[in-house]
């Protein structure tokens, strides 16, 4: 969430890829709040890479991590 806030504060509004690294036995997916933030600034087909400190990796599409999401298309006016 902090990295996304810094990105927006710096003037960028699009996330093209995310990489989550955790010191855990298996890769950790982003929490629900971070998934929502990724959906607001990313694309459903965006790659979310996961890894732990021993090199175990996984790869997800954002749409698979957060199905039926509320995204930026919901905020566009219909006019």
């Amino acid at each position: 969430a902090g990295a996304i806030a810094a990105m927006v504060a710096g003037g960028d509004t699009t996330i093209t890829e995310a990489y989550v690294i955790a010191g855990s036995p298996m890769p950790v997916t982003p929490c629900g709040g971070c998934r929502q933030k990724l959906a607001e600034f990313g694309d459903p087909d965006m790659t979310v890479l996961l890894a732990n400190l021993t090199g175990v990796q996984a790869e997800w599409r954002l749409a698979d991590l957060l199905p039926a999401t509320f995204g930026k298309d919901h905020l566009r006016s219909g006019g």
Side-chain angles (χ1 to χ4, degrees):
I4 295 170
M7 175 198 77
V8 173
D12 292 318
T13 58
T14 303
I15 300 172
T16 57
E17 186 176 67
Y19 204 150
V20 180
I21 303 171
S24 60
M26 296 301 296
V28 176
T29 60
C31 73
C34 287
R35 291 178 198 202
Q36 178 59 42
K37 290 171 185 65
L38 289 169
E40 290 175 21
F41 297 102
D43 181 90
D45 289 324
M46 176 181 104
T47 300
V48 180
L49 299 166
L50 312 171
N52 70 3
L53 299 177
T54 62
V56 177
Q57 296 188 41
E59 183 176 320
W60 290 77
R61 284 179 50 245
L62 181 57
D64 295 329
L65 288 173
L66 189 62
T69 186
F70 176 89
K72 57 189 166 197
D73 290 339
H74 292 99
L75 300 174
R76 294 195 175 120
S77 77

